[in-house]
């Protein structure tokens, strides 16, 4: 078993952080290459879904999508539970994880892929087919991010973590996106969002955040 990884990118970090929270050690193979591109043999093999993280099992099955990979490990190694304890908590975790993905992770992807020169003709991740950059999509990404940060700050004013009192995968997705925005794209969390900033600093100090950075 191994995970195809891209150390610099925010989505593979979600899985590294998840595994670190569970104290699981899975071999990683770096497939990040030159000029913010994945290595050509990886792209050729998985096109048009050549994205990281990608889990390869011993029987040759390959699973992409960070949440699918996390779910696989949660089933095999349930403790500590990062997807919720019961039906209600699992639903709330799922809701906030999806909001964090669309409102922060997907938002940053729309913002960077449609502006950065390294992503010219790479408007979508993971495909060898050229996809042109669309400037208006940046504005849409910024809108997604504003809506998410506003709602997440409210949620964190009443809860220690994204889905309540326990740290979950919803925190991992939100943190990996907001940390990449802050450190990689110089888009900090606005000062007015005090609860979100309190949460960010708490999550940033977890061993899994440091180990996965
Ligand atoms: N929906 C996927 C997104 C994966 C994704 O976009 N990964 C990026 C790195 S953050 C990637 O591998 N991009 C390949 C590329 O830019 O060609 C997931 O949740 O895992």
């Amino acid at each position: 078993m191994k995970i195809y990884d891209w150390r610099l990118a925010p989505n593979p970090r979600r899985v590294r952080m998840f595994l670190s929270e569970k104290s699981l050690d899975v071999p990683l193979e770096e497939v990040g290459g030159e000029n913010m591109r994945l290595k050509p043999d990886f792209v050729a093999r998985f096109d048009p879904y050549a994205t990281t993280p990608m889990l390869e099992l011993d029987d040759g099955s390959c699973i992409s999508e960070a949440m699918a990979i996390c779910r696989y490990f949660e089933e095999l190694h349930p403790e500590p539970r990062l997807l919720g304890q019961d039906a209600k908590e699992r639903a709330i975790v799922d809701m906030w994880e999806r909001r964090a993905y669309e409102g922060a992770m997907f938002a940053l992807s729309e913002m960077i892929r449609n502006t950065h020169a390294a992503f010219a003709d790479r408007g979508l991740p993971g495909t060898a087919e050229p996809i042109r950059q669309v400037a208006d999509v940046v504005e849409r990404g910024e809108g997604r991010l504003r809506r998410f940060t506003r709602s997440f700050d409210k949620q964190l004013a009443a809860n220690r973590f994204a889905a309540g009192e326990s740290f979950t995968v919803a925190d991992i997705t939100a943190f990996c996106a907001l940390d990449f925005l802050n450190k990689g794209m110089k888009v900090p969390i606005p000062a007015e969002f005090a609860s979100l900033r309190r949460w960010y600093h708490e999550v940033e100090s977890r061993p899994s955040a440091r180990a996965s950075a």
Side-chain angles (χ1 to χ4, degrees), residues 187-198:
V187 179
I189 296 168
E192 77 224 54
F193 295 145
S195 302
L196 180 44
R197 290 169 77 95
R198 182 268 306 152

Side-chain angles (χ1 to χ4, degrees), residues 19-92:
L19 293 174
S20 172
E21 288 284 338
K22 286 191 180 279
S23 303
L24 294 173
D25 202 10
V26 179
L28 302 175
E29 181 175 325
E30 175 67 37
V31 291
E34 304 280 302
N35 299 326
M36 307 221 318
R37 284 177 183 274
L38 296 178
K39 291 183 178 159
D41 54 344
F42 180 84
V43 176
R45 179 174 172 202
F46 293 109
D47 178 55
Y49 287 112
T51 56
T52 54
M54 174 84 69
L55 170 67
E56 182 165 357
L57 300 180
D58 292 340
D59 69 1
S61 307
C62 290
I63 300 166
S64 71
E65 298 299 326
M67 266 311 291
I69 298 171
C70 291
R71 212 172 286 287
Y72 175 81
F73 286 110
E74 180 94 351
E75 293 254 344
L76 293 180
H77 306 276
E79 299 296 336
R81 291 192 182 267
L82 296 173
L83 300 187
Q85 301 279 350
D86 55 24
K88 179 179 161 192
E89 200 185 299
R90 276 194 286 277
I92 294 172

Side-chain angles (χ1 to χ4, degrees), residues 139-193:
E139 195 181 318
R140 180 58 48 89
E142 289 167 349
R144 280 181 195 278
L145 182 62
R146 272 197 307 279
R147 180 171 73 164
F148 173 69
T149 46
R150 198 156 47 85
S151 68
F152 198 35
D153 182 62
K154 268 196 215 164
Q155 171 72 356
L156 293 169
N159 298 279
R160 181 172 170 201
F161 292 112
E165 290 313 295
S166 306
F167 181 84
T168 68
V169 72
D171 297 285
I172 292 179
T173 299
F175 176 77
C176 290
L178 295 173
D179 199 46
F180 188 84
L181 277 154
N182 184 30
K183 295 179 184 146
M185 294 169 66
K186 308 292 172 225
V187 179
I189 296 168
E192 77 224 54
F193 295 145

